[in-house]
């Protein structure tokens, strides 16, 4: 179960991919495979949640890492790079690291 | 507690704001106030989590609504509009509605 909470000490990666609607499902499949086979095995990985936009033009990976250093090490991992190469042939992306400031929920 | 899960029937709004670093905290404060005073009172609101990027240039609202219709009704709500007007004087934004396709976590 993935939880969002402020004050958790995790770092959050929000990676927004822009894609043609006809390639959206293919991109989702590639990100799911990359997460299952590689990302989830890397030290410091906490979670990844793959989202597809209703308008077909975006895919978002909302991922949690233990520390910013773990995320940085993943970026230098050749296996992770192998997954990203074909992904960036069908999509552009914009990734930033975030801290959860506040979280509100009903009930 | 905010949870991310596939198959939940919720709709997810990911609203990415681009802002000057000197205005990032002000934008966070405005979004927190809008959520506390107005958004969280609107029927269909489930959760909102405000994130700030480490590089200072982004703020993301990751929000969950019961149904897309509830989110659409919020957009027509004059009180919600009143909050958004000053926010859009210091930031640009790009909002899309999403479905969670898959979610992975350790442990």
């Amino acid at each position: 179960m993935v939880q969002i909470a402020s004050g958790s000490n995790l770092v959050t990666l929000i990676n927004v991919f822009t894609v043609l609607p006809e390639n959206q499902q293919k991109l989702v499949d590639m990100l799911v495979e990359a997460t299952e086979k590689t990302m989830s095995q890397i030290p410091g990985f906490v979670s990844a949640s793959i989202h597809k936009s209703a308008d077909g033009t975006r895919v978002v990976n909302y991922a949690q890492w233990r520390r910013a250093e773990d995320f940085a090490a993943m970026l230098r991992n050749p296996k992770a790079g192998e997954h990203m190469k074909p992904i960036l042939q069908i999509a552009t992306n914009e990734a930033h690291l975030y801290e959860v400031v506040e979280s509100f929920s009903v009930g």
Side-chain angles (χ1 to χ4, degrees), chain A residues 23-64:
Chain A
N23 288 330
Q24 189 192 38
Q25 188 56 49
K26 185 180 177 186
L27 175 59
V28 165
D29 295 342
M30 293 165 92
L31 288 168
V32 165
E33 188 184 341
T35 304
E36 281 181 336
K37 288 196 177 163
T38 300
M39 303 303 179
S40 60
Q41 314 301 320
I42 294 178
F45 173 90
V46 175
S47 79
S49 298
I50 314 296
H51 301 64
K52 64 177 179 183
S53 70
D55 67 7
T57 67
R58 297 289 185 282
V59 175
V60 168
N61 181 18
Y62 183 102
Q64 296 171 318

